[in-house]
Amino acid sequence: MAAESLRALIAPLAPSPYAAIARERLVEAAQRQSASDNLANIEADAPLWDFLTSALGDSPYLLDCAAKDIGDLRTIIDQPPQWIIDAEIAALAAASWDSRDTAMSALRLAKRRIALTLGLADLGQVFDLDTVTGTLTDFADAALAAALRFALADAERRGHWQGAPAGISGLAILAMGKYGAHELNYSSDIDIIAFFEARPGLLADGIEPAVFWVRIVRLLVTLLQDRTADGYVFRVDLRLRPDPGATAVAIGVPAALVYYESMGQNWERAALIKARAAAGDCDCGSRFLNEIRPFIWRRHLDFAAIHDIHSIKRQIHTHKGHGQVRVAGHDIKRGRGGIREIELFVQTQQLIAGGRDPGLRGRRTRVMLAELADRNWFGAAERDELDAAYVFFRNVEHRIQMLRDEQTHILPDNAEDRARVARLAGFGDLAAFDAEVEAHLTRVAARYSGLFGDTEPLATATGNLVFTGSDDDPDTLAALTDMGFTDPEAITRAVRAWHFGRYAATRSTRARENLTELTPALLQALAGAGDPDAAFRSFDTLLHGLPAGVQFISLIHTNRKLLDLLVYVLGAAPLLAEDFARRPHIVDALIDPAVLTEAFDRPQTAARLRAFLAESAGYEDLLDRARRFAAEQRFLIAIRLVTGAMAPPAAASAFSDLAELIISALLAAVQSEFAQIHGTVAGGRVAIVAFGRLGSREMTAASDLDLIVIYDFEAGAKESNGTKPLPAVQYFTRLTQRFVAALSSPTAEGVAYETDLRLRPSGRSGPVATQLSAFERYQREDAWTWEHMALTRARPVAGDPDLCRAVAEIIAEILSTDTDRSKLAADIRDMRAKVAAEKKPASAWDLKLSEGGLMDLEFIAQFLVLSGFSHRPGEAVPDLIARATDAGTLARADGDTLGRSARLQSALFQIIRAATGGDNNPEDTSPAFREFLARAAEAVLAPDSAKATPAAGRPPPADDQNLISPTGASKSSTPILASGLDDRLTDLQAQTRLVFDTVLQGQAPK
């Protein structure tokens, strides 16, 4: 056969209805090329002419190749096909081109001759499958070697390369996949990986090896892949290299070895089964493959290896796609029962057995299928079925690609194009072809399911979730979209980054395996967040920030309650998600199950703070530690609050206690540091007075500190006694500035608390610190009504105990002074009107500014205190209103209304601030958070709030509670839905505003 021409060897094809089109095209081309004699010679051979016009009629791509040069067509027909192929490969091996254009043209012309020769030999049944795929592979090797040789010669002409004996350049190009196994198809990409060794004496001085080899590889891609008037040679795919999203196209051998030894993935083991050194420094490539052999082939099936194989099986099982066996539109490579399932059937068993049996480490699918059967891994019947299907599908695959030279494996949906494929495959009847395809698909699917059918797929009810390899799986993108993610490509990029070990947390094999198995459940949980994409980004940022991930990932992998908690927080609480991102070590605290059950204990927290600060390396370190401690404790309080483990009033007290502890610790640190330079002032004392939410012990997770600093010293003291003395007044001014900076200046750990001193006497125009006598005088003689209103929430929280008592006494005396209630009410109404004119509430959920909101409730409470109702420092508004109602200062109906409103709005404000940091509408949060908010509101409004305390670590129960109706009557209700909570809130705010108007008309009894 080797000496016989195609003319003598070809077998007939089924007649094509497009044969006439092929004849017309060839005749036109012959006339244009003055080659009519060549075509006439072919036409004279009737069987040959019928075969040729039928084959080319059904294959527009091969018709294009033939029509390019009729003289070439006759040569291909009249010579033995193997001679033509050998001649083209030999010509490439000897070629020396002086320009890029010449090289690209020669390579493309060789590809055209090879494609036409092989296509006709294949369709005429002259070559079998192995010969076709092997020839395509041999040509790819020759083309790649020739392109590399030109690239290096070009670099030598440019003075970058000094030359080397053939084959020792230091650049090894590995062939992967079908290319590595000598199994290329007609329109295959060639999958390659380029590794280099930095060898002395080969590169010119000053040339960086990494940069040089990247340029060489890019030139190779251009030479082979770029389309010109002559077409292209091969599409080149470099994405099987280690972590393609983060590495260059040429990788140093040491870096590659480190990657495979430490972060290589399961699918990469399977891919490397077929790897071989194909071009360049093949000795280097072979040494590299020998080095990573232990990564691919694991000799002992210990627990870790079994777990690894199981992970591969689960990933592969999910990757099947096209889940139902069908014909029209079916992907015969990736689809159910297709080529990929046969390959993976072989490869996974090679991975299991090849570590102990070197005879099972071969690259060729059919050869290894036979070897595995000979070693009793499965029976002869399975071997024969899978082998027959493999040959059939590979031949069909070639004919699909012959249509238009497209890299596709999908049988055409339309019967006309599918009939073309059928005729090229030797079937004169489409129905018979379809039946043969379906029969093979069904048999392969059954064999494959028998091997992998007992594994749990990495998928959800929505569809596949597959992140192996370097390409996006279309089914996975569709599944992510169906789950609610708006940017599925970003999700797949991030998950692949986890798999490639780009994060410190995913660099261990165990962490990646756990994360692989966790990913479907994680994504399903994140999809339930209000903004799934934002929740995913938060988790990704958290994962990126973890210094190590095995413990954390293993924990959430085995503890789905913790995963649910984490996802709930990421989706429902953006403020806490930001804390996660900035301080991923906070996650450590969640590992302790007591976190969501233990109450905030001020003495214990104070002791922990003292111990933590005692380890400081210096003043700046102390500030960082204080910020870290404050942030972590705020986070834990907020977690308890937004999960229902802590009631809102308890959270308010805890946030306030924490702030007081931090203020006291930083004041002491600042005073000590300041005294080292400036000394002290005789009799000098400082008191920190809190206003606003800290003053009334109603702080939230996002509250600032409203403070003033009051000082005093002996009458005769003029200046401090340090090495750099300061005048007494300046001393306390500078000390206050240092104290505020300690609280609110940003460091690497952020700020402890934003701090506002504007409530000091005379506001911004006054000194930042106020002497005790000046404070008393100002409050008695010059303070405005709004300043006395603010004073109702003031209390000393840190500093000298005697001075704190003195300040407290002054505040109490001023607040107990008789007041013109009518003028007071008028001032408050006027102040509220000005606020309403300047700041419009966005909705009823703007709880501070809405009519009947928290500001109105605070103004009522302040009016009551300034009107003579007994003042209790640090008393929250709901508590003061309850006392006033019980004392008869407020009418019972009004007091009950205000009490319900204050409890509800304070609780909602606490929870929303902890979750989002602002006055956000719950409609913008996750359904789970909205449900929790509604249940929390139900618990607050229940008559017996003690019975409505939620279980630790869980949202409040959904059982019925007795709610107070707007008219004051009690009624039974199902849990409040989000819309019901909106209505209830709006109704209570309206009632609160009515009571506000009533009270501030001066009609409330004394």
Side-chain angles (χ1 to χ4, degrees), residues 137-217:
T137 304
D138 291 342
F139 172 69
D141 285 352
L144 189 60
L148 176 59
R149 193 168 59 252
F150 169 80
L152 290 175
D154 185 64
E156 189 171 8
R157 286 190 291 270
R158 296 172 183 273
H160 299 163
W161 173 253
Q162 298 188 145
I168 61 167
S169 63
L171 178 73
I173 298 180
L174 299 188
M176 305 290 289
K178 286 184 170 63
Y179 181 26
H182 282 83
E183 294 172 344
L184 279 182
N185 55 49
Y186 275 103
S187 294
S188 277
D189 297 346
I190 55 171
D191 294 303
I192 62 173
I193 306 177
F195 301 110
F196 66 87
E197 291 179 334
R199 295 182 177 176
L202 300 182
L203 299 178
D205 292 342
I207 301 298
E208 174 63 36
V211 176
F212 175 81
W213 289 119
V214 164
R215 288 174 178 167
I216 292 295
V217 171

Side-chain angles (χ1 to χ4, degrees), residues 880-930:
L880 188 146
I881 289 172
R883 280 200 309 114
T885 304
D886 291 342
T889 302
L890 284 172
R892 174 56 61 180
D894 291 343
D896 287 347
T897 295
L898 294 179
R900 288 195 302 277
S901 180
R903 290 194 304 275
L904 176 64
Q905 296 196 71
S906 295
L908 296 176
F909 190 70
Q910 273 290 340
I911 296 169
I912 293 173
R913 280 299 179 98
T916 70
D919 297 308
N920 297 63
N921 191 322
E923 291 301 325
D924 299 328
T925 61
S926 71
F929 182 71
R930 292 197 297 271

Side-chain angles (χ1 to χ4, degrees), residues 782-942:
D782 300 320
W784 294 50
T785 298
W786 69 265
E787 290 176 296
H788 281 172
M789 292 169 65
L791 202 64
T792 64
R793 304 173 81 180
R795 64 187 178 91
V797 293
D800 180 80
D802 292 336
L803 183 59
C804 287
R805 280 192 291 272
V807 172
E809 290 171 1
I810 291 171
I811 292 171
E813 289 176 8
I814 291 169
L815 295 179
S816 63
T817 303
D818 287 340
T819 303
D820 183 338
R821 296 177 69 250
S822 297
K823 180 179 183 304
L824 174 63
D827 286 348
I828 294 176
R829 289 196 306 270
D830 182 59
M831 188 183 311
R832 185 65 181 94
K834 287 180 179 178
V835 171
E838 293 175 4
K839 299 179 181 179
K840 302 293 184 183
S843 70
W845 287 96
D846 190 342
L847 298 172
K848 287 179 66 176
L849 297 178
S850 292
E851 286 197 1
L854 292 174
M855 181 176 288
D856 287 349
L857 290 162
E858 290 166 4
F859 280 8
I860 291 171
Q862 291 162 359
F863 173 76
L864 293 175
V865 171
L866 293 175
S867 297
F869 183 69
S870 61
H871 171 248
R872 291 182 180 177
E875 186 172 38
V877 170
D879 297 334
L880 188 146
I881 289 172
R883 280 200 309 114
T885 304
D886 291 342
T889 302
L890 284 172
R892 174 56 61 180
D894 291 343
D896 287 347
T897 295
L898 294 179
R900 288 195 302 277
S901 180
R903 290 194 304 275
L904 176 64
Q905 296 196 71
S906 295
L908 296 176
F909 190 70
Q910 273 290 340
I911 296 169
I912 293 173
R913 280 299 179 98
T916 70
D919 297 308
N920 297 63
N921 191 322
E923 291 301 325
D924 299 328
T925 61
S926 71
F929 182 71
R930 292 197 297 271
E931 181 183 1
F932 167 66
L933 200 63
R935 289 178 177 176
E938 181 181 18
V940 168
L941 292 176

Side-chain angles (χ1 to χ4, degrees), residues 20 64 98-99 139 155 192 199 234 245 289 295 324 429 451-452 486 553 617 645 829 837 905 913 925 935 955:
D64 284 343
D98 57 5
S99 74
F139 172 69
I192 62 173
R199 295 182 177 176
F234 289 101
L289 288 173
F295 165 67
Q324 300 302 315
D429 179 67
L451 184 64
F452 296 117
T486 61
I553 295 170
R829 289 196 306 270
Q905 296 196 71
R913 280 299 179 98
T925 61
R935 289 178 177 176

Side-chain angles (χ1 to χ4, degrees), residues 474-523:
D475 290 343
T476 296
L477 296 180
L480 290 170
T481 300
D482 291 342
M483 292 169 69
F485 294 97
T486 61
D487 191 359
E489 289 84 0
I491 305 295
T492 60
R493 282 196 302 273
V495 175
R496 281 200 297 273
W498 303 347
H499 289 174
F500 281 118
R502 293 183 198 160
Y503 301 172
T506 63
R507 285 180 187 154
S508 78
T509 300
R510 184 63 177 162
R512 290 194 303 276
E513 289 173 355
N514 280 340
L515 197 54
T516 295
E517 296 187 2
L518 174 68
T519 297
L522 172 67
L523 291 173

Side-chain angles (χ1 to χ4, degrees), residues 623-631 741-745 747 749-752:
L623 297 185
D624 279 341
R625 283 173 168 266
R627 283 156 170 70
R628 193 179 314 146
F629 188 89
L743 281 170
S744 57
S745 291
T747 71
E749 295 289 339
V751 300

